[in-house]
Amino acid sequence: MSRKKVALLWSLPFLIFIAVWITRGYQTSPVYFRLTIEAEQDGRAFTSSVLWGAKYFLNCEGPLPPCSRGWLDAKFAGEALRVGTGADALWITVSENIKLWEPARFRNPSRPPMLPVTAWGLDEVNPKAAIEQISRIAHDQAPRPLDVRFLPKIIRFRDRQDPLSAESVPVPPQGEVKILDASISFTDGPITSGISTQLPWLDQPNPFSGSESKASRSSAATGIQITDFRRDEL
């Protein structure tokens, strides 16, 4: 037998190991959900909503079954939700790509879940069971209450035509626009679109880079990026 064939035979178990690791590390389950906000502005109550998509990645700590240890990563797609009108309008940004569940040794108890789908009773012991539960709860279209403290980052513009006038707003916000309540319901697509008609600069490359002078007059925009307003790929 040639040396190449011997080397191939010796490497075969390793290649199988890598293949199993990859297939076990990227099991996904896409879901779609609607975020609904009950708010008030100038004494008038109103409702705003947006439909986002999410895909969950199961990452196993080990490549061999059962996958009883590991974590879930969440990747979101969609557009920011405007709440209110005029200069006081709030923009609820698209949720960050986050670890939905993670091993206790990595968990930060001071950080609340960005979007607590754990309200549906996910299994926090077995991540494989958790991702199977995500597929099941995706058919639960009954609205579930969402603590407004768990909303993603909220932004307000001093001038909506100028991206460098963006500033982060505390959650829950205190101002002319008051967020009274929030809820999440799983549903079907399509993901909400059309934000570029409200924020046309989103189609420009690097709208938050600006010149040094612009950046200095808008230090509040530090840390705000285009993906806060639009995440295209799920």
Side-chain angles (χ1 to χ4, degrees), residues 144-163:
R144 298 293 181 102
L146 174 66
D147 192 320
V148 296
R149 295 175 300 170
F150 294 165
L151 286 170
K153 180 167 55 182
I154 299 179
I155 292 172
R156 180 166 44 217
F157 292 98
R158 296 192 298 274
D159 177 1
R160 191 167 42 140
Q161 303 304 316
D162 180 6

Side-chain angles (χ1 to χ4, degrees), residues 143-195:
R144 298 293 181 102
L146 174 66
D147 192 320
V148 296
R149 295 175 300 170
F150 294 165
L151 286 170
K153 180 167 55 182
I154 299 179
I155 292 172
R156 180 166 44 217
F157 292 98
R158 296 192 298 274
D159 177 1
R160 191 167 42 140
Q161 303 304 316
D162 180 6
L164 291 176
S165 72
E167 55 188 9
S168 296
V169 176
V171 181
Q174 303 294 324
E176 294 299 321
V177 178
K178 297 179 175 59
I179 295 180
L180 307 176
D181 206 355
S183 64
I184 287 180
S185 58
F186 287 92
T187 183
D188 299 321
I191 294 172
T192 302
S193 61
I195 192 173

Side-chain angles (χ1 to χ4, degrees), residues 87-110:
D88 296 316
L90 304 175
W91 296 82
I92 299 178
T93 61
V94 184
S95 186
E96 299 177 69
N97 296 335
I98 61 166
K99 281 184 171 56
L100 178 69
W101 177 92
E102 50 193 6
R105 65 179 182 277
F106 298 135
R107 187 173 301 156
N108 181 357
S110 65

Side-chain angles (χ1 to χ4, degrees), residues 104-120:
R105 65 179 182 277
F106 298 135
R107 187 173 301 156
N108 181 357
S110 65
R111 177 188 176 190
M114 296 290 287
L115 287 174
V117 296
T118 49
W120 276 264

Side-chain angles (χ1 to χ4, degrees), residues 20-29 55-62 66-75 98 100-102 123 125-134:
V20 171
W21 186 86
I22 291 175
T23 55
R24 289 190 60 76
Y26 295 91
Q27 300 180 41
T28 63
S29 177
K55 185 175 287 187
Y56 300 95
F57 298 79
L58 172 62
N59 293 283
C60 297
E61 285 193 322
C67 182
S68 57
R69 295 173 62 85
W71 62 92
L72 294 176
D73 284 338
K75 180 180 180 181
I98 61 166
L100 178 69
W101 177 92
E102 50 193 6
D123 189 332
V125 177
N126 186 330
K128 184 176 181 181
I131 205 166
E132 292 171 351
Q133 289 172 334
I134 289 173

